[in-house]
Amino acid sequence: MKHIVPALRRNLTRRPVRAPPPVAQKRSVQTGDDPALMLSVASYNVHKCVGADGLFDPDRVVRVVLDLDADIIALQEADQRFGSRRGLLDLRTLLERGGYRSVLDEGSRKLSHGWHGNVILFRTGSVTNVTKMKLPGFEPRGAVLVDFDVMGMPIRIIGAHLGLLASSRLRQAEAILNAAHPVDDRAVILLGDTNEWRIGGRSALRPFDSHLSDVDMAIASFPARFPLWPLDRVLTNKHVTVYEMSAVETALARVASDHLPVKALIGVTRHPVVPALPSV
């Protein structure tokens, strides 16, 4: 391990990372702009419910999701990859036991739960708009863009699963960034498996740097049994502060999927809403 480059070594921590309390904002928010809304968000690649032990077991994935106890959760690989792309999770159990609803009535196919495997679950607020994006690249990939109203605060959540090729990830990051900015300049949070461990100038996520950033909040989440790579990210714009983020490393999470879920506590700062221009 002593030969690991310093930039990677900084991301090998398995401890929770904490930002300063609300009085010292992580980003360039005006002094005194305390968060008007606190939320917990999470991202979890469920690996088509095949665990680190090679067993297909959707029930234990559902248990991990319920244990996350987050307000909004983005899942990846929640459907079969081919054929009917049937949804693999028991959405009724998630609703009855956790109060979670899915933003999609129908995903990639009639039987699927997600769009290219991306599912966004929520138990707070209301959905005002859903956009399903096809992402460029060698593999079929997609992202789900959801606008929420949470206690009067407009929030945009993007759930995504980027490709295995760096060239594809770069194009996908650019496509998501082009779609990420709403006309009313609301808070934006991207949750997903980026398949990118690098940080800085060599990262395929560099298109996000000017508008969506995880700063020093990249947490090792893969592989689940011995996490080394910070593939699963929470990226936010200037209206959001991440106060705490960690990989959820329970005994069940270490075996239920090949990724650990990541969870973050965020604060959304109230800001003037710019009304949309009328259509011509």
Side-chain angles (χ1 to χ4, degrees), residues 38-42 68-73 123 263-266:
M38 299 294 291
L39 286 173
S40 55
V41 297
L68 287 174
D69 196 30
D71 296 308
I72 299 174
I73 304 174
R123 66 180 187 187
K263 181 179 178 180
L265 176 66
I266 66 170

Side-chain angles (χ1 to χ4, degrees), residues 52-65:
D53 55 3
L55 298 179
F56 174 73
D57 191 341
D59 290 342
R60 62 186 178 187
V61 169
V62 167
R63 287 159 56 198
V64 172
V65 171

Side-chain angles (χ1 to χ4, degrees), residues 31-254:
T31 303
D33 281 351
D34 292 332
L37 177 67
M38 299 294 291
L39 286 173
S40 55
V41 297
S43 180
Y44 186 25
N45 184 330
V46 303
H47 196 228
K48 295 179 284 294
C49 297
V50 176
D53 55 3
L55 298 179
F56 174 73
D57 191 341
D59 290 342
R60 62 186 178 187
V61 169
V62 167
R63 287 159 56 198
V64 172
V65 171
L66 292 172
D67 287 345
L68 287 174
D69 196 30
D71 296 308
I72 299 174
I73 304 174
L75 305 178
Q76 303 86 47
E77 298 192 22
D79 299 328
Q80 292 176 338
R81 183 68 182 272
F82 302 107
S84 67
R85 299 185 185 175
R86 180 185 295 274
L88 300 173
L89 299 178
D90 187 344
L91 296 183
R92 178 175 294 181
T93 296
L94 288 170
L95 177 61
E96 293 176 350
R97 293 182 53 192
Y100 289 110
R101 292 170 285 165
S102 171
V103 301
L104 294 176
D105 294 326
E106 185 175 305
S108 303
R109 296 286 191 275
K110 183 176 291 187
L111 297 177
S112 65
H113 293 157
W115 176 248
H116 290 277
N118 293 288
V119 171
I120 296 182
L121 303 172
F122 70 104
R123 66 180 187 187
T124 186
S126 58
V127 174
T128 59
N129 186 62
V130 178
T131 301
K132 295 182 285 189
M133 296 178 56
K134 287 186 177 180
L135 297 180
F138 179 74
E139 312 159 81
R141 296 282 177 170
V144 180
L145 188 154
V146 187
D147 287 320
F148 287 94
D149 182 289
V150 183
M151 298 177 62
M153 294 285 288
I155 298 173
R156 175 163 289 182
I157 298 285
I158 303 171
H161 187 188
L162 304 190
L164 297 175
L165 300 179
S167 58
S168 294
R169 292 196 295 274
L170 185 61
R171 293 171 59 198
Q172 290 160 3
E174 291 170 346
I176 291 172
L177 186 61
N178 288 335
H181 302 295
V183 292
D184 61 4
D185 193 31
R186 67 182 60 198
V188 178
I189 303 105
L190 187 148
L191 307 168
D193 177 2
T194 66
N195 270 315
E196 179 62 80
W197 62 268
R198 297 170 297 182
I199 57 176
R202 296 184 61 196
S203 171
L205 305 183
R206 60 185 180 273
F208 290 136
D209 287 348
S210 59
H211 296 285
L212 295 173
S213 174
D214 55 5
V215 191
D216 295 320
M217 292 286 181
I219 301 293
S221 58
F222 178 87
R225 283 184 165 171
F226 188 74
L228 291 173
W229 316 110
L231 304 187
D232 304 279
R233 304 289 185 91
V234 177
L235 291 87
T236 63
N237 74 350
K238 62 183 178 180
H239 299 304
V240 182
T241 299
V242 179
Y243 293 115
E244 180 176 343
M245 179 172 169
S246 63
V248 180
E249 195 173 0
T250 64
L252 186 60
R254 283 194 296 269

Side-chain angles (χ1 to χ4, degrees), residues 183-184 273-279:
V183 292
D184 61 4
V273 174
V274 179
L277 296 175
S279 57

